Amino acid sequence: MDITTQLEFIKKGTAEIVPEAELFQKLEEAGRQKKALRIKLGVDPSSPHIHLGNAVVIRKLRDFQQLGHQVVFIVGDFTGRIGDPSGRAATRRQLSEEEVKTNMATYKEQVGRILDVEKTEFRCNSEWLGRLTPFEIVKICSFQTVARMLERDDFSIRFKESRPIGIHEFLYPLFQGYDSVAIRADVELGGTEQKFNLLLGRELQIYYGQKPQVAVTMPILVGIDGVKRMGKSLSNYVGITESPKEIFGKIMSIPDNIIVHYFELATEISSSDLEKIKTALSKGENPRNFKARLGKEIVSLYHGKAAAEKAELEFDRIFKEKGLPEKIEEYRIEAGKKIWLVRLLVETGLVKTNSDARRLIQQGAVEIDGEMISDIEKELSLKKPIVIKVGKRRFLKIVPK
């Protein structure tokens, strides 16, 4: 590809490239010198799942990889223990070291569903951030002012509303910027909410005498609630390694008004097909049909076409034909022994707390053998197996022993 074509390929689907002229120059120089640019993406391990929102950016990282550039995937095992304040209305809970280790354990395998792992440089930012001396941290902090930090929308809003801002939160964008210094990034990718952090990295590289990186931002994928951005800490995400059945079911539950948004950002559908979908929806065609297509497109990307077809059949069997899943996990309890339904729902992991169980029962979201349960005081004494259904997709067979 010539440089102009490369740039157009990279620009497709992006929100902004800052500055675009510099990216053209970097691509031109790389071609002339026959060297690869270093393309950086950092992801904090705030959950064990890489989700569809992360995948929007990772797929753009793949575009650079396909052009022959060196992609560097940074797991923020150090920054993850601070917590990214981007887009947050309150201080994020700090993760423990154990949580970080657990969450990041499968990241390489998950990322391998999108990137060529043999050509990907995987790094953990504790490699350099964990070695910084107090003096070096002070030096990094001296590079920025409090006024500059308060230019960030999230900090500015919290400051005006007298909501707490932890001093450690100011360290997050500085450390993310230092990641770019440590790996000598030419380009950094991120969601639009990361723009401040990406530009800070650019400024920090200049401070350390390096050529500044170009910031490439991608649109934010809204969560399956249709309101907030997809986020691991917000529990409104679709993990790319979740089961085909779970992915398909979650996609079928999204609000109608974000169907096009998901096709655009979470699939590899062509522009012409996207326009056809927009037209069909505007003419009143059934949104459910497009959700089913969307679910199959997404499952196919991460599990293959056969798994997508099976997930749709399973969904239809359960929700159209009121059937049961082919495989239902079993949980054994003592035969004849009375147990409070609320306690059973918590013990089996179908819900997290007693209050969640009570709320779901009162909302009519709990069924036993197809019969809705509304009594929060209901007790069970099992003589034969039963199937409990919670919500639309959670099933469990309770077996007396």
Side-chain angles (χ1 to χ4, degrees):
M1 282 188 199
D2 59 61
I3 304 304
T4 301
T5 307
Q6 285 187 47
L7 186 61
E8 288 305 309
F9 178 62
I10 290 166
K11 283 174 64 177
K12 184 181 178 182
T14 61
E16 192 175 9
I17 298 176
V18 186
E20 187 175 317
E22 273 189 32
L23 179 56
F24 185 91
Q25 290 169 5
K26 284 180 181 288
L27 291 169
E28 195 172 44
E29 184 179 339
R32 189 170 58 251
Q33 298 180 1
K34 292 183 168 51
K35 71 169 189 177
L37 295 176
R38 290 179 65 75
I39 317 299
K40 167 198 172 190
L41 172 65
V43 175
D44 282 342
S46 52
S47 158
H49 296 294
I50 299 290
H51 59 64
L52 294 181
N54 302 134
V56 172
V57 190
I58 298 172
R59 282 168 39 232
K60 180 53 62 178
L61 196 64
R62 183 187 60 191
D63 288 349
F64 278 98
Q65 190 174 64
Q66 290 175 341
L67 290 173
H69 299 294
Q70 178 61 61
V71 301
V72 185
F73 188 91
I74 298 175
V75 178
D77 61 331
F78 190 98
T79 46
R81 296 194 65 188
I82 298 173
D84 186 358
S86 300
R88 305 289 292 191
T91 302
R92 188 189 290 268
R93 182 181 73 84
Q94 292 175 262
L95 299 174
S96 68
E97 183 177 0
E98 192 58 38
E99 286 176 305
V100 166
K101 286 181 179 177
T102 299
N103 289 347
M104 66 186 277
T106 61
Y107 273 26
K108 188 172 183 179
E109 185 274 328
Q110 293 182 67
V111 170
R113 299 189 182 216
I114 303 172
L115 300 176
D116 182 340
V117 293
E118 297 300 320
K119 296 178 181 178
T120 302
E121 184 179 324
F122 287 91
R123 306 289 289 273
C124 291
N125 61 13
S126 61
E127 290 178 37
W128 48 85
L129 296 178
R131 295 198 198 108
L132 292 174
T133 65
F135 177 78
E136 288 169 325
I137 293 172
V138 169
K139 181 182 178 182
I140 294 170
C141 291
S142 68
F143 149 76
Q144 275 301 342
T145 66
V146 171
R148 175 80 166 96
M149 287 295 185
L150 290 177
E151 289 177 12
R152 284 180 55 135
D153 287 343
D154 36 37
F155 287 153
S156 175
I157 292 168
R158 282 159 65 183
F159 183 73
K160 288 174 183 175
E161 295 178 354
S162 299
R163 283 189 246 161
I165 302 172
I167 292 174
H168 71 287
E169 294 183 88
F170 283 169
L171 292 175
Y172 187 94
L174 292 170
F175 283 159
Q176 181 177 328
Y178 190 80
D179 289 349
S180 297
V181 174
I183 66 142
R184 305 187 76 88
D186 293 302
V187 177
E188 182 173 11
L189 306 184
T192 51
E193 88 287 359
Q194 292 291 321
K195 182 178 177 180
F196 180 94
N197 295 352
L198 272 54
L199 294 180
L200 201 61
R202 176 180 166 84
E203 294 167 19
L204 200 55
Q205 284 179 304
I206 295 171
Y207 180 67
Y208 277 89
Q210 295 182 9
K211 287 185 178 180
Q213 66 186 16
V214 171
V216 177
T217 62
M218 299 296 294
I220 299 297
L221 185 70
V222 71
I224 57 175
D225 57 1
V227 180
K228 298 178 181 177
R229 68 188 180 96
M230 184 172 287
K232 290 168 278 196
S233 60
L234 299 173
S235 297
N236 65 349
Y237 67 91
V238 179
I240 66 172
T241 54
E242 290 188 276
S243 71
K245 180 176 71 174
E246 189 69 12
I247 292 175
F248 192 89
K250 285 184 175 182
I251 296 303
M252 292 300 293
S253 75
I254 66 171
D256 296 347
N257 66 328
I258 62 172
I259 292 173
V260 171
H261 175 72
Y262 268 54
F263 268 114
E264 193 169 18
L265 297 184
T267 76
E268 296 181 351
I269 193 170
S270 68
S271 299
S272 59
D273 278 353
L274 183 65
E275 288 305 315
K276 289 176 184 176
I277 290 169
K278 287 180 183 178
T279 301
L281 285 168
S282 68
K283 289 181 177 179
E285 287 195 32
N286 191 345
R288 188 199 179 283
N289 298 334
F290 294 100
K291 287 184 193 179
R293 178 179 171 182
L294 175 62
K296 287 171 69 176
E297 293 269 358
I298 292 172
V299 173
S300 294
L301 277 177
Y302 304 108
H303 293 279
K305 289 185 178 180
E309 294 287 348
K310 187 176 179 181
E312 183 180 31
L313 288 173
E314 178 84 343
F315 184 89
D316 286 346
R317 193 162 65 83
I318 295 169
F319 295 100
K320 278 185 178 179
E321 303 164 20
K322 305 297 182 183
L324 294 173
E326 288 182 5
K327 294 182 180 179
I328 303 177
E329 188 178 342
E330 292 186 358
Y331 185 88
R332 296 184 176 273
I333 64 172
E334 188 177 338
K337 182 181 178 180
K338 283 189 176 182
I339 183 167
W340 182 29
L341 177 59
V342 167
R343 182 177 295 120
L344 181 62
L345 293 175
V346 175
E347 283 184 8
T348 56
L350 285 168
V351 301
K352 292 182 179 179
T353 65
N354 286 358
S355 59
D356 286 340
R358 288 191 186 94
R359 176 176 52 79
L360 288 166
I361 291 170
Q362 289 170 334
Q363 290 175 350
V366 177
E367 295 180 6
I368 295 179
D369 289 339
E371 180 184 347
M372 188 182 73
I373 306 300
S374 57
D375 181 8
I376 62 172
E377 301 300 331
K378 184 174 180 62
E379 291 186 333
L380 302 175
S381 178
L382 263 63
K383 294 180 181 178
K384 64 176 184 177
I386 62 171
V387 174
I388 297 181
K389 177 185 175 186
V390 178
K392 293 182 178 180
R393 298 189 303 278
R394 283 172 285 172
F395 292 85
L396 187 66
K397 181 180 283 187
I398 309 297
V399 180
K401 60 181 178 179

